[in-house]
Every structure is written in C-alpha cells, then in structure tokens.
Amino acid sequence: MVIGIIRRGKEILLVRESLGAEGEVLWSLPGGGVEDGELLHEALRREVREETGLLIADPARTAFLVHVDSEQYPSALAAAFEVEQRSGDQCPAAQ
C-alpha cells in the first residue's frame, strides 16, 4: 500500500472514502494498493491521480512505513511518501 502526503502551505490534502468497519466514509491521505509488477512510485502516481485528479512527480522522500495487520489486509506494509511537485486541478470526484 502507498500513501501520499501532499501539502499546500500548512494544509495537507485528504480524501474521503469508505474505510470504516461499517462502511462509513472517513477522511484519509490519498493512496491505495500496489498492482503486480508496479513500482511504489508508479502506484502512488496512479492512486493520487485516481483519487484527486492531480498529477504528481516521483515522491521526494519516504515519510514513514507502517505494518498493517487487519482482517482486510493481513500483514501488509504501508509506505507513505512526501510529494513536493504536483500539477493539474484538484477534482473532488476524480474517479
């Protein structure tokens, strides 16, 4: 799983998606799964584009790594990256 941290001044971009145990819509950082054969930075660009409409450059640096162990994602690794360069117009309904 990849996660993007996209800042504008002191603000951080969040997206709303169905993440709760009961399917409730929650706020989260943009990101998602990595497809077979896909590099982490490629997955991050794809996921951010799908969720926000923004085009991003390769991430500037790794922000943090976290091990996820849940029923939906047993023993998964989430990698969060700082994103400094982006273009395009933010679109709330990019999908």
Side-chain angles (χ1 to χ4, degrees), residues 14 22 26 53 75 77:
L14 297 175
E22 306 278 327
L26 302 172
S75 195
L77 178 68

Side-chain angles (χ1 to χ4, degrees), residues 27-44:
W27 290 101
S28 71
L29 295 165
V34 179
E35 296 176 0
D36 286 343
E38 194 172 38
L39 298 175
L40 294 179
H41 65 277
E42 294 170 338
L44 183 62

Side-chain angles (χ1 to χ4, degrees), residues 11-55:
E11 299 175 329
I12 295 177
L13 178 66
L14 297 175
V15 296
R16 294 189 70 184
E17 51 187 330
S18 297
L19 294 173
E22 306 278 327
E24 62 268 28
V25 177
L26 302 172
W27 290 101
S28 71
L29 295 165
V34 179
E35 296 176 0
D36 286 343
E38 194 172 38
L39 298 175
L40 294 179
H41 65 277
E42 294 170 338
L44 183 62
R45 282 198 307 262
R46 177 182 50 75
E47 287 288 343
V48 168
R49 175 77 171 149
E50 288 174 2
E51 294 181 6
T52 70
L54 295 175
L55 299 172

